[in-house]
Amino acid sequence: MYELPETIAVDVVLLPPGPIMDMAIGANRTLLAGYPDGGIRLDRENCLPHISVAMFPARSGDIPEIVAKVERITRQCSPMALAIDAVAKHRSSTRGTISVFHILRTEILQLFHKSVMNSLKPYPAPATGPEMFAGEASAPSVDCLLRFPKTSVYERYSPHITIGFGDLPEIIPGIDFPIRFEVTKAALCHLGSHCTCRRILAVFDLGLRAHGGRGGTAARR
């Protein structure tokens, strides 16, 4: 258990299955070998590979309601068949190239994103600053959080798994695109620096009832 700040940077995410997480972590290590100060070090405990669905600042007192809303949506959603089709790269004004695994935006994934966004419209709170995040966070992390609803939602939604800072090769030995997988779990995360998934507040099985994750909803103030 840990105490949440009054305003908390959160992300509703889809959690890829173990083999996809391991593949993302391996690609992240490849990046870190060339960019040791990259700032993002993926792992299964404190920096989970994930697919962002809805990212925003929320009041810690609203977390139970947010969990309940997401739970209702996930109970009605079957496991999703998804595919990584390529390595994609974006430019950051502060850190250079960001490499990601691009995910095809299927109809069911777009519907899930839209349903979560619509359901959580009442909950975004005014942003405060780096104190919204788990651990230390920079001003660009706050900017990333605030840009999401302006640049990355609805028709602009572009699902992906962030690998890290640096130029990941488009052809990776041992990885043949497209890579198909099934997602069975979603989660509500407390974001860390670079909008990484640092702590799990609640986990949801798609099609089943939710259960508390590490820290659980009891971690609220």
Side-chain angles (χ1 to χ4, degrees):
M1 291 180 61
Y2 65 103
E3 188 174 279
L4 300 180
E6 291 288 348
T7 302
I8 176 173
V10 297
D11 194 359
V12 178
V13 306
L14 293 171
L15 297 175
I20 301 300
M21 282 202 179
D22 290 341
M23 185 178 70
I25 291 169
N28 171 258
R29 296 298 181 272
T30 298
L31 276 181
L32 287 173
Y35 303 86
D37 59 347
I40 295 176
R41 186 177 184 84
L42 297 178
D43 60 47
R44 287 205 185 203
E45 295 297 324
N46 300 305
C47 195
L48 286 168
H50 65 279
I51 304 164
S52 290
V53 175
M55 188 188 305
F56 58 98
R59 295 177 180 84
S60 59
D62 288 336
I63 294 299
E65 290 185 22
I66 291 170
V67 169
K69 289 285 185 73
V70 176
E71 179 183 359
R72 280 195 287 271
I73 295 170
T74 57
R75 276 193 314 217
Q76 300 171 15
C77 182
S78 300
M80 297 184 203
L82 301 180
I84 299 168
D85 65 340
V87 171
K89 299 166 190 180
H90 308 289
R91 293 291 301 176
S92 165
S93 59
T94 56
R95 297 298 300 268
T97 301
I98 301 173
S99 293
V100 308
F101 282 159
H102 180 264
I103 294 172
L104 291 172
R105 192 177 67 180
T106 61
E107 184 176 346
I108 186 63
L109 179 53
Q110 179 68 11
L111 178 60
F112 183 75
H113 162 73
K114 182 178 179 180
S115 298
V116 171
M117 288 295 302
N118 289 345
S119 179
L120 300 183
K121 275 184 179 179
Y123 297 103
T128 52
E131 63 271 17
M132 295 184 294
F133 294 80
E136 295 183 0
S138 61
S141 300
V142 179
D143 181 63
C144 176
L145 178 72
L146 297 182
R147 279 189 290 106
F148 185 86
K150 301 174 183 177
T151 64
S152 304
V153 301
Y154 298 115
E155 70 276 2
R156 295 182 176 180
Y157 179 53
S158 180
H160 61 273
I161 300 172
T162 297
I163 302 303
F165 295 103
D167 195 352
L168 188 68
E170 295 181 10
I171 298 177
I172 304 173
I175 297 180
D176 295 318
F177 299 113
I179 298 168
R180 305 185 189 282
F181 59 98
E182 185 178 70
V183 167
T184 63
K185 292 184 180 296
L188 180 68
C189 292
H190 187 184
L191 293 173
S193 186
H194 309 300
C195 291
T196 51
C197 186
R198 290 297 303 273
R199 291 192 173 104
I200 298 293
L201 303 177
V203 177
F204 313 88
D205 291 315
L206 300 186
L208 299 173
R209 294 189 62 186
H211 56 278
R214 290 189 299 271
T217 56
R220 64 186 182 277
R221 291 176 68 101

